[in-house]
Amino acid sequence: MRLLAVVALLAGCNVAKGKLTVPFVNGWRFYHGDDPSGPGVGPNACAFDSIANASCTNVEKNGNRWTEFDCKMSCCYNPECLVWQYFGSDGCRHGTNDSVCTPTNGASTGGKRSVSPPFKRDYDFKETSFDDTNWKLLSLPHDFIINETFVHGSDNHHGFLPRGTGWYRKHFAIPSDWKGQTVYLEFEGGQHYKEVYINGEWVQDHSAGYTEFTVRLDNVTSLQYGSGSANVIAIRVDASYGSGHWYEGGGLYRKVHLVCVNATAHTTYRSVYLNPETDGTSLNFSAELESLDPSAPEGTIIPIKVVVQTRGGVVVAESKDWSWPLQRGAPGIFSKLLHPTVPIELWSTRNPVTYEFSVTIGDVANEWTDTHNSTCAFRSTKWNSTFSLNNVQMELRGFSHHNSFAGTGVTSSPRLNLFRAQSSKAVGANFWRCSHNPYAQDLYEILTSVGILAWDENRDFGYEYRHQMADMVRHHRAHASVVVWSLCNEDECEKYSSATSVAYKSAASELDPMRPTAANELVPGASISSDLLDIIGLSHGDNQSLVNLHARLPDKPLLLSECCSCVENRVGPRNFTACEAQQNSPGTALPYVSGSIGVWTLMDYFGESGAWPQSIGNFGQFDISGFPKAHAWWYRVNWLAKVAVSDPSRPLVKGVSHVARVVNLWDSVDSAIYCAVSTAQGALRIDGVEQGVKLADGDGMTVWPGAPYASNVSCSAIQEGSVAATHTLVKPKTSLRLQLVVDVPSPATGTGDSLYLDAQDLGLIRAQVVDEFGVVDSTVSGNVTFTVSGPGRLVGLGAAPDSLLPVQGNVIAFYGGLVRAVVQVTVDCVSGMADLVSAVDHEHGPLTFMAQCPSPAPSITVTAQSQSYGAASITLRTSSAPLDHPFAVARANANLTYSYIDDITS
C-alpha cells in the first residue's frame, strides 16, 4: 500500500511518518540443549516432594497435559501451582495452596511444594559477553525439533521426535534516532516456554505456544543506541514439554519483527479493529491509544484519520475530524462509527471481496506518529438452526488441520497456507477448523482472500490460562473469515469448574460481542454449561446424539465440529470406506445441524502416529507432502461435484461439473478396480474394451474385477447415457527417468507462478519417476538427492510415513513413485528495509536483504539425482511484483482452477 511505501523510505523512527516494522529474522545463533550452568532441565521451581498415590482436595484437571512430564513441567512454570498429579489415562491435575493431600491406595504420581521458588535467571548463555560464535547461525522461523533423529521409544504422539530445550541469541544495534521512541519486538509465536533476556537482563517470560507476544525494549536501561551499539537478546525456549497430543515442534517457529513507533501517541498491539460484522450501512471502528512520552502535554488533540477504499483506490468510507485528547498512563479506548459514502460489497465464500484499510495517528504538527495498513472485509452472519451468511443459508463443510508439513515441521509461510486453503476448496470445503490452537496471522488473511470460513480454537483451557483466550480474540477478530471462537477441544473441555468456562466466555465477549462462542465437546453440557455457549459443537457423535441434543436444546445451533478419523496411507489399499459417509452423516443429514466442519484432517501431520516406525498421523485426505490420497476423491465427488454450481455452499472451483477417477495405484489393479464417479452410473474400459455400466453406490463408487494383464484402465462417469468425465490409469513402461515438477507456485494449485522475493516464500517441488510417455511408476524404490542453486535453499523433504531419513537433510526415499522437496527464497528485495536490516543485524545469516531487486528476477534451480533413474533439474521463477505476493495471488485465484489433483497419477 502507498503508506507503507512512504514509511519504508525513511531511516529514523523519530522522523518517520508512522511506524517502522523491520524484519528481525536473520543472523540468529542457536544452541540445541540447555545451559550447562543450570541444574537439570528446568528452573529450580521444578523441585517437588513426591506425593504418589495421594488423594488431593481442590485440584483442577489440566486437560492439555498428556504425559506425566508435561503435567509436572506445566506446574513447575506456574508460580501459583504447588501440587501436580498425573493419573495416566485420566490425565493431569494441578492445585494451589488450598490443596490438601493425603495418602491413599490410588494410582497416581505427583509432587507438592510449599512455595514456588524464584526461577533460575543466572544462566551463562544470557550474558552479553558470552562467546556464541560456535553456535549455529540461522534464520527464523525455526523448528529445532524437526531436525532431530527419530528415536524408537520416544513419544509416538510427538512423531518419535524427542523434545528438548534450545537457546537463541542475536546481536543487534538500535539506530540512534530511535532513542526516546517506543521500541519493541513482535513475536508471532514460539514453542513452548520462553524466557527473554536483553543484555543479560531478564525482561519477561511467555508461556503459551501458539499466541503472539511483544517484548518492549526502550524501557530496558541497558539498551544501547547508535551504529556501534552492541545489544544481545538471548531466549531460552523449553520445548521439553507441551500442551498437545500431536507434534508441536519447538523454538521460534514464527516470524519476529523489530518495531519503532513514535512515543507521543500510538495504538497498542493488535488493538486497531474494524469490525467485519455489518450489513454495510455502518462500520464500527475502535482502537486502544496510549502515550509513552512523559513530555507530551495532557489533553493535546491528536488527529485520527481512518480510510477504507477499494482495491482500485475508490474511497468508500473515511473519518471526519476525528481526534483523541492525549492522556498519559493507562491506554484509552477510541471507538466511532464510519458511514460509507459508497455501497459496501459484502464478503462471502462465493465473493470474497476485500478492501484496503488505513489508520493514521497524527501529533500537533499533523505529522504521523503511528500508521496501520491492512486488509478488511465485511459480512453479516446469523446462527439459528442453520448458518446464514449475508442472509443466505449455507451448509458448512470443512476439515480440521494441524500445522506440520513435510520437512518444514511447524514453520510455515503464506504460500504454503495458500496451497492448503486451495487444496481444501478443491475437495469441497468452505470451512477451516483451526485445531487445536490459534494459527499465524497470514493464514487468516489467506482464508479471507480465497473465501473460507474459520472456527478459531483456543489451546490451553484452565482458569490459569484464561488470558490466552483474550489474546486469540484480540489478535484475530479483524479477520472476516473467523465466525466462531472455540474455548477448547474434547478432553480439555472436561472436568473444569464453571468459573473457567465463564472466564473464557467473558474474555471473548468483552473483546468481540458479535461472534458466537463454542467448544468441540465429546459430551456437550457435561462440563461446560450449554447455556453459556452460543453454538454446541459435537465431536465424533452419531446421528442419534445430535437428535438428542436438538431435543434437549431446540433453540441452540448445532455443529458436527469434528468427525471422521478415517485412516489411510497413500500407498497400499485404495478405496472408499464406510467411514467417510457414516461419520459425516450427522453433520449433513439432519436439517437442524449447520454442517460437518472438522473432518479429521485435510492433510497428514507428524505425531499421533501409532506403531514404530510410522511417525505420521495418517488421517488426512492428502499426505504430509500434500499429495492426494484415495479419500480425497470421496470429498471431490460428494462435497464438490455432486453439489450444484449455484449452491451457495459450494466453494468457488472452476471446471468440476463431474468427476471420474480410478482411485487405485497401478500395482493394485490386478485384485480389484475402484472407479469413483459423481454420477449415478460408472463405466469401465480395459485396454479399450468396454466392461459395461454399473450403478454407483451412495459414495459414488463402482467396483470391478481386477485386470492383472491390462495396459490401461479407463473409468467414466455416465450422465443420462453420455460420458460426463473420464480418467485413465496407464501401466508404466520399463524405460524410466527422473522428472521434476513445480507444484507451488503453480496455476495447477491456484498458487501463482512465481515465488516472491521476500526471503520467506516457499515453493514445493515434486520428484517422480516416469516412463517415456510421462506415466508415473508408483512401484519404484531408492533414494533421491537434492541440491539448490540461486536465491533459494532446501528447507525440507517429505515422503513415506515410516521413513527414518532426516526430513531436513538432502536425501529422501521414493514413496509411491513420488517425493517432495520444499525450497525457500533467501533474498528480500521487496521490504525496502535493506539499509535498516544491515544497520540492525550484526550478523547477516543465510538471508540476503537488498535495496533494489535485480532485473531480470533471478531464478532458483533445483536438481535431483537418483542412482537408478538419472538426474533432472527445474527452475523456480521469482518476482518482486506486488501481484506475486501470496496475498495478492490468493485474491486473484479465489475462483479456483485446481488441476493438480487430476495430474497426480501416483
Side-chain angles (χ1 to χ4, degrees):
M1 294 178 63
R2 293 191 298 272
L3 297 178
L4 287 178
V6 173
V7 171
L9 296 174
L10 298 166
C13 179
N14 63 346
V15 296
K17 294 193 171 185
K19 178 187 298 180
L20 280 175
T21 301
V22 182
F24 202 68
V25 295
N26 207 22
W28 287 82
R29 293 282 181 174
F30 174 72
Y31 176 84
H32 193 171
D34 210 349
D35 187 329
S37 68
V41 296
N44 356 0
C46 285
F48 292 90
D49 296 326
S50 175
I51 53 167
N53 303 323
S55 173
C56 299
T57 62
N58 298 319
V59 290
E60 185 173 76
K61 182 177 180 181
N62 193 313
N64 301 89
R65 311 305 168 184
W66 291 82
T67 69
E68 177 183 341
F69 189 75
D70 289 350
C71 186
K72 173 185 175 182
M73 292 300 291
S74 55
C75 183
C76 160
Y77 278 110
N78 179 7
E80 297 177 2
C81 182
L82 301 180
V83 174
W84 67 271
Q85 289 186 288
Y86 183 69
F87 293 85
S89 60
D90 200 31
C92 172
R93 286 165 178 76
H94 285 173
T96 62
N97 56 2
D98 295 329
S99 301
V100 177
C101 300
T102 56
T104 66
N105 294 322
S108 68
T109 56
K112 182 178 174 68
R113 57 190 178 185
S114 56
V115 295
S116 175
F119 286 5
K120 174 181 171 61
R121 303 295 188 192
D122 58 344
Y123 294 106
D124 292 342
F125 285 177
K126 73 179 175 64
E127 299 298 337
T128 305
S129 60
F130 179 80
D131 183 3
D132 56 23
T133 53
N134 290 326
W135 289 18
K136 184 176 182 179
L137 184 64
L138 50 74
S139 64
L140 306 180
H142 177 241
D143 175 358
F144 69 81
I145 303 295
I146 197 64
N147 202 33
E148 283 282 270
T149 300
F150 296 101
V151 175
H152 191 193
S154 188
D155 185 4
N156 71 304
H157 288 96
H158 210 243
F160 297 107
L161 289 166
R163 287 176 151 167
T165 300
W167 278 81
Y168 295 85
R169 286 170 56 91
K170 181 175 171 64
H171 300 254
F172 65 99
I174 298 292
S176 57
D177 52 5
W178 289 20
K179 193 167 187 177
Q181 308 307 324
T182 301
V183 183
Y184 60 93
L185 293 169
E186 293 178 351
F187 290 81
E188 293 190 11
Q191 187 67 251
H192 187 262
Y193 197 96
K194 286 81 61 185
E195 303 172 51
V196 184
Y197 301 84
I198 303 293
N199 296 334
E201 177 184 349
W202 172 81
V203 290
Q204 73 181 68
D205 291 355
H206 186 257
S207 61
Y210 297 99
T211 55
E212 304 169 30
F213 64 102
T214 61
V215 175
R216 192 172 166 194
L217 298 181
D218 62 279
N219 62 352
V220 176
T221 56
S222 62
L223 192 72
Q224 301 179 36
Y225 295 84
S227 58
S229 59
N231 300 293
V232 177
I233 181 170
I235 305 176
R236 180 181 182 268
V237 182
D238 190 347
S240 66
Y241 77 108
S243 63
H245 49 277
W246 63 92
Y247 177 81
E248 295 187 286
L252 302 180
Y253 71 101
R254 294 180 184 168
K255 291 179 287 188
V256 183
H257 314 273
L258 175 64
V259 179
C260 179
V261 65
N262 195 299
T264 303
H266 56 258
T267 59
T268 59
Y269 188 66
R270 298 288 185 202
S271 71
V272 174
Y273 179 38
L274 191 59
N275 195 330
E277 184 69 30
T278 179
D279 62 3
T281 57
S282 62
L283 310 178
N284 194 336
F285 169 82
S286 65
E288 188 177 68
L289 294 119
E290 69 177 357
S291 175
L292 297 177
D293 182 356
S295 65
E298 286 271 0
T300 300
I301 300 302
I302 304 296
I304 299 173
K305 183 73 171 178
V306 179
V307 177
V308 180
Q309 62 184 29
T310 68
R311 293 284 167 189
V314 177
V315 174
V316 298
E318 62 181 325
S319 59
K320 301 293 185 182
D321 302 319
W322 287 6
S323 62
W324 176 65
L326 185 147
Q327 62 184 58
R328 294 197 303 271
I333 299 293
F334 179 91
S335 180
K336 278 186 176 292
L337 288 178
L338 283 168
H339 298 285
T341 55
V342 175
I344 291 288
E345 192 173 0
L346 295 182
W347 178 95
S348 71
T349 58
R350 306 272 293 178
N351 183 36
V353 60
T354 59
Y355 291 86
E356 294 176 336
F357 169 45
S358 65
V359 180
T360 56
I361 313 295
D363 65 14
V364 289
N366 288 321
E367 291 185 345
W368 301 337
T369 59
D370 194 4
T371 56
H372 174 91
N373 300 276
S374 66
T375 290
C376 61
F378 310 101
R379 80 288 184 275
S380 66
T381 59
K382 186 180 295 183
W383 296 85
N384 292 320
S385 60
T386 56
F387 172 78
S388 295
L389 181 63
N390 307 326
N391 295 315
V392 177
Q393 184 176 321
M394 294 178 61
E395 181 178 315
L396 304 176
R397 308 182 189 99
F399 296 91
S400 297
H401 300 261
H402 275 322
N403 205 37
S404 55
F405 182 89
T408 61
V410 294
T411 67
S412 190
S413 76
R415 187 87 56 178
L416 183 53
N417 281 328
L418 176 57
F419 171 63
R420 289 174 177 269
Q422 302 290 46
S423 298
S424 71
K425 287 178 63 174
V427 290
N430 56 31
F431 209 97
W432 182 292
R433 178 177 170 229
C434 297
S435 48
H436 304 295
N437 51 265
Y439 280 59
Q441 285 288 340
D442 66 72
L443 171 69
Y444 304 93
E445 180 85 8
I446 291 290
L447 297 180
T448 301
S449 297
V450 301
I452 296 177
L453 300 161
W455 159 300
D456 209 4
E457 192 158 278
N458 169 70
R459 180 63 207 134
D460 289 334
F461 189 65
Y463 195 78
E464 62 195 279
Y465 308 118
R466 60 196 180 276
H467 62 281
Q468 293 186 31
M469 187 73 186
D471 288 344
M472 178 183 74
V473 174
R474 181 183 177 98
H475 297 163
H476 298 160
R477 60 185 174 166
H479 297 285
S481 52
V482 178
V483 294
V484 185
W485 303 121
S486 172
L487 277 61
C488 51
N489 171 68
E490 293 185 342
D491 291 333
E492 292 95 320
C493 299
E494 297 179 2
K495 300 178 184 176
Y496 281 94
S497 65
S498 60
T500 295
S501 49
V502 169
Y504 276 64
K505 168 73 173 180
S506 298
S509 299
E510 287 172 9
L511 289 164
D512 179 23
M514 305 299 288
R515 287 183 181 90
T517 55
N520 183 49
E521 296 182 275
L522 293 167
V523 184
S527 180
I528 300 175
S529 169
S530 297
D531 293 332
L532 183 73
L533 298 175
D534 303 300
I535 296 169
I536 305 301
L538 178 64
S539 181
H540 293 274
D542 57 17
N543 288 54
Q544 190 59 50
S545 298
L546 281 162
V547 169
N548 295 342
L549 274 173
H550 181 62
R552 181 165 63 90
L553 305 164
D555 298 325
K556 285 284 185 180
L558 303 178
L559 271 173
L560 184 63
S561 45
E562 184 176 324
C563 77
C564 315
S565 296
C566 310
V567 297
E568 177 197 35
N569 285 326
R570 184 167 57 83
V571 176
R574 288 169 63 100
N575 185 15
F576 295 167
T577 66
C579 180
E580 291 86 7
Q582 287 178 359
Q583 294 194 30
N584 269 298
S585 175
T588 56
L590 300 173
Y592 44 79
V593 178
S594 296
S596 176
I597 64 155
V599 172
W600 198 259
T601 49
L602 179 71
M603 294 187 179
D604 290 348
Y605 54 93
F606 284 107
E608 291 192 292
S609 52
W612 172 266
Q614 181 155 318
S615 62
I616 291 168
N618 59 344
F619 301 97
Q621 321 317 310
F622 295 75
D623 72 9
I624 199 165
S625 298
F627 298 130
K629 302 193 290 187
H631 289 181
W633 291 97
W634 188 95
Y635 293 96
R636 182 88 158 165
V637 167
N638 292 282
W639 277 16
L640 189 67
K642 286 186 178 182
V643 179
V645 173
S646 59
D647 189 324
S649 305
R650 191 184 199 267
L652 281 174
V653 181
K654 294 184 288 187
V656 186
S657 54
H658 285 292
V659 165
R661 184 73 180 191
V662 180
V663 300
N664 302 64
L665 295 182
W666 186 262
D667 59 351
S668 66
V669 299
D670 57 344
S671 55
I673 298 171
Y674 299 96
C675 167
V677 295
S678 59
T679 52
Q681 295 178 314
L684 194 74
R685 293 195 318 275
I686 298 176
D687 293 340
V689 178
E690 299 287 349
Q691 304 298 305
V693 176
K694 288 188 177 184
L695 288 175
D697 65 18
D699 295 331
M701 180 59 73
T702 61
V703 182
W704 304 78
Y709 304 108
S711 296
N712 62 77
V713 176
S714 293
C715 165
S716 296
I718 305 300
Q719 177 79 359
E720 297 179 351
S722 299
V723 175
T726 297
H727 170 247
T728 300
L729 184 67
V730 179
K731 181 179 181 179
K733 304 297 188 292
T734 56
S735 180
L736 301 175
R737 61 182 175 86
L738 190 63
Q739 181 186 61
L740 299 184
V741 181
V742 178
D743 288 331
V744 175
S746 169
T749 53
T751 55
D753 60 13
S754 300
L755 291 178
Y756 196 53
L757 288 167
D758 63 355
Q760 295 290 316
D761 209 359
L762 295 181
L764 302 182
I765 302 295
R766 179 193 348 150
Q768 55 190 16
V769 176
V770 298
D771 67 11
E772 63 265 38
F773 300 104
V775 177
V776 175
D777 189 337
S778 61
T779 66
V780 299
S781 60
N783 292 343
V784 59
T785 302
F786 289 92
T787 56
V788 177
S789 61
R793 60 175 176 168
L794 185 68
V795 294
L797 299 171
D802 58 356
S803 172
L804 298 179
L805 290 171
V807 294
Q808 289 204 330
N810 68 334
V811 179
I812 202 75
F814 288 110
Y815 177 62
L818 308 177
V819 296
R820 174 69 77 203
V822 186
V823 177
Q824 179 192 1
V825 171
T826 56
V827 168
D828 178 335
C829 63
V830 295
S831 66
M833 292 289 170
D835 291 342
L836 266 176
V837 170
S838 179
V840 167
D841 291 352
H842 282 203
E843 297 183 281
H844 300 307
L847 307 181
T848 301
F849 288 79
M850 303 172 65
Q852 292 185 333
C853 292
S855 181
S859 59
I860 300 169
T861 299
V862 180
T863 300
Q865 177 77 46
S866 167
Q867 184 174 359
S868 301
Y869 308 110
S873 294
I874 200 165
T875 58
L876 281 159
R877 294 175 55 185
T878 69
S879 172
S880 59
L883 289 178
D884 287 314
H885 188 287
F887 294 161
V889 172
R891 293 191 293 269
N893 288 272
N895 193 1
L896 174 64
T897 297
Y898 192 95
S899 60
Y900 165 76
I901 194 169
D902 302 304
D903 298 339
I904 298 290
T905 58
S906 178

